[in-house]
Amino acid sequence: MKILVTGGAGYIGSHVVKHLGERGDDIVIIDNLSTGHKELVLYGKLIKEDLANTEAIDCLIKRYKPDAVMHFAAFIRVEESVKNPIKYYSNNTANTIKLLEVLINRGIEYFIFSSTAAVYGIPENIPVSEDTPLNPINPYGRSKVLVEEVLKDCGLAYGSFNYISLRYFNVAGADERARIGQKYPEATHLITRALKAAKGEIKNFQIYGTDYDTPDGTCIRDYIHVDDLADAHLKALDYLIKDKKSDVFNCGYGHGYSVKEVVNMVRKVTGIDFEAKEAGRRAGDPPALVADNTKIKNILNWKPMCDDLEYIIKTAWEWEKKL
Ligand code: UFG
């Protein structure tokens, strides 16, 4: 199959490209390399292009005639989205709509979209199932909800257009051979920041909030290994092509770890007893975010292979040491 992957030089996109490449799919990657890196692309043809350039994107779709498109290209920093919402609505939402227009006009039938658990905001019930009302609390989450709404309408309006939105929980870890992994100019994610604190790169590592209504007072998240997430994408794609049913799935393991548990595991894996200062809450953090993954397991037959926090952190550490 010929798959076009936007954002395929980024952290999650590059892992999906690896999985597609390993099974022999023909891959074309569009990435503007604003946060992606060409050395993360292990398979396929990388084309440096911006999604805002609709004419160029249209030419590429016309030229390569992909069977399906997987769309990762997006900004992902919650705090930044609060400070600069236009950046998020214009790239994550407007550019996705422009992309969809091109794809639908060119008759592309299969579309996989990177959504996020941030669409749920602060959910009332844990674990969170897909039918929980969407109530994002920041522009990042809203920029993704808007696209989910557009996709729903497109699925209804254009008979041959089918999509799957995958709502990612906390993606972490790296390639088991440490060939690819997370590489952002400024780390914001917990595991990456803790590893950088272990390396001595981050001096003032903090635990944001110790007074939440959780067993140890720190926030709980559902950490999913990036290879399991990549596998979910391939399963979603195969299902979409076979069954032609648009749908939405949570991607998480269905259980969580607290910030303190993660920090302690980073200490264990690295063997470095770095300092973690207890600090105030970070704005907009839900106390707990854990996926109900019944649907993806039942419908896509997704079977997690790396559901082990120690393994997740070990792979991230092996990668981090190479940076
Ligand atoms: N945290 C710290 N110290 C740090 C960094 C994070 O205590 O230095 C805490 C946060 O306050 C939070 C937890 O660790 O309680 C996880 O924070 P991350 O920034 O790693 O991840 P988030 O849960 O905030 O968000 C991530 C993605 C979002 C996605 C969400 C879904 O960044 O895009 O997971 O669960 F929507």
Side-chain angles (χ1 to χ4, degrees):
M1 271 194 308
K2 189 176 281 181
I3 316 292
L4 188 128
V5 180
T6 75
Y11 170 49
I12 298 169
S14 66
H15 282 83
V16 174
V17 165
K18 176 185 78 169
H19 284 238
L20 291 169
E22 279 170 356
R23 75 173 192 182
D25 282 330
D26 187 359
I27 311 156
V28 180
I29 295 143
I30 300 175
D31 200 303
N32 66 4
L33 299 179
S34 65
T35 55
H37 304 271
K38 57 179 183 299
E39 63 274 17
L40 297 183
V41 176
L42 299 180
Y43 292 90
K45 181 181 171 60
L46 171 64
I47 295 162
K48 186 170 182 276
E49 191 52 80
D50 199 294
L51 283 185
N53 191 351
T54 310
E55 268 177 40
I57 301 296
D58 187 47
C59 280
L60 290 171
I61 300 292
K62 194 174 150 201
R63 182 150 111 224
Y64 290 105
K65 298 186 178 59
D67 298 301
V69 172
M70 292 180 142
H71 179 41
F72 297 91
F75 295 130
I76 56 154
R77 297 177 57 163
V78 171
E79 259 183 24
E80 184 185 52
S81 81
V82 175
K83 288 187 190 130
N84 192 355
I86 292 295
K87 180 173 173 179
Y88 279 71
Y89 291 121
S90 101
N91 190 34
N92 295 7
T93 311
N95 284 348
T96 302
I97 295 171
K98 283 184 199 164
L99 173 67
L100 285 171
E101 189 178 2
V102 167
L103 300 183
I104 288 163
N105 285 338
R106 292 268 170 218
I108 304 296
E109 296 181 8
Y110 307 110
F111 185 75
I112 307 285
F113 177 60
S114 300
S115 190
T116 168
V119 298
Y120 297 118
I122 302 182
E124 269 181 32
N125 298 312
I126 296 293
V128 197
S129 63
E130 288 84 351
D131 49 17
T132 302
L134 304 188
N135 198 9
I137 55 167
N138 49 59
Y140 168 66
R142 273 189 287 276
S143 74
K144 295 284 184 174
V145 171
L146 287 168
V147 174
E148 285 205 12
E149 295 293 333
V150 171
L151 284 172
K152 213 189 292 171
D153 289 339
C154 290
L156 293 172
Y158 312 113
S160 58
F161 177 77
N162 306 281
Y163 71 92
I164 284 181
S165 287
L166 296 174
R167 294 180 182 154
Y168 310 162
F169 282 66
N170 288 56
V171 190
D175 172 54
E176 62 178 343
R177 286 158 57 193
R179 291 169 298 173
I180 54 176
Q182 209 177 85
K183 193 175 177 186
Y184 299 137
E186 215 182 306
T188 59
H189 291 122
L190 174 64
I191 293 178
T192 311
R193 286 184 61 79
L195 291 171
K196 287 187 186 296
K199 272 168 86 182
E201 242 173 64
I202 288 179
K203 302 287 176 213
N204 185 28
F205 175 76
Q206 296 181 324
I207 293 178
Y208 302 139
T210 52
D211 60 349
Y212 286 98
D213 186 15
T214 58
D216 68 13
T218 64
C219 288
I220 292 174
R221 294 289 182 274
D222 186 338
Y223 295 91
I224 171 175
H225 192 280
V226 64
D227 275 325
D228 273 336
L229 181 67
D231 179 54
H233 284 76
L234 271 64
K235 294 237 162 38
L237 179 66
D238 294 346
Y239 168 86
L240 197 57
I241 292 174
K242 190 168 147 280
D243 286 35
K244 302 188 182 359
K245 278 189 204 148
S246 295
D247 215 331
V248 177
F249 296 96
N250 283 339
C251 296
Y253 289 145
H255 59 87
Y257 294 94
S258 73
V259 174
K260 279 189 178 166
E261 286 172 322
V262 170
V263 169
N264 285 333
M265 186 59 87
V266 171
R267 289 187 177 126
K268 181 180 166 197
V269 166
T270 59
I272 300 166
D273 190 18
F274 62 93
E275 192 184 3
K277 288 201 188 86
E278 296 193 355
R281 294 182 177 197
R282 187 174 72 176
D285 274 342
L289 207 41
V290 174
D292 178 339
N293 61 12
T294 315
K295 190 175 169 188
I296 189 168
K297 281 182 164 168
N298 287 347
I299 297 182
L300 298 188
N301 199 20
W302 176 68
K303 293 188 182 76
M305 304 295 285
C306 316
D307 180 2
D308 174 359
L309 184 65
E310 187 164 356
Y311 175 75
I312 291 175
I313 293 176
K314 263 187 187 152
T315 55
W317 178 230
E318 289 310 314
W319 165 255
E320 187 61 44
K321 283 193 287 187
K322 288 174 69 174
L323 293 179

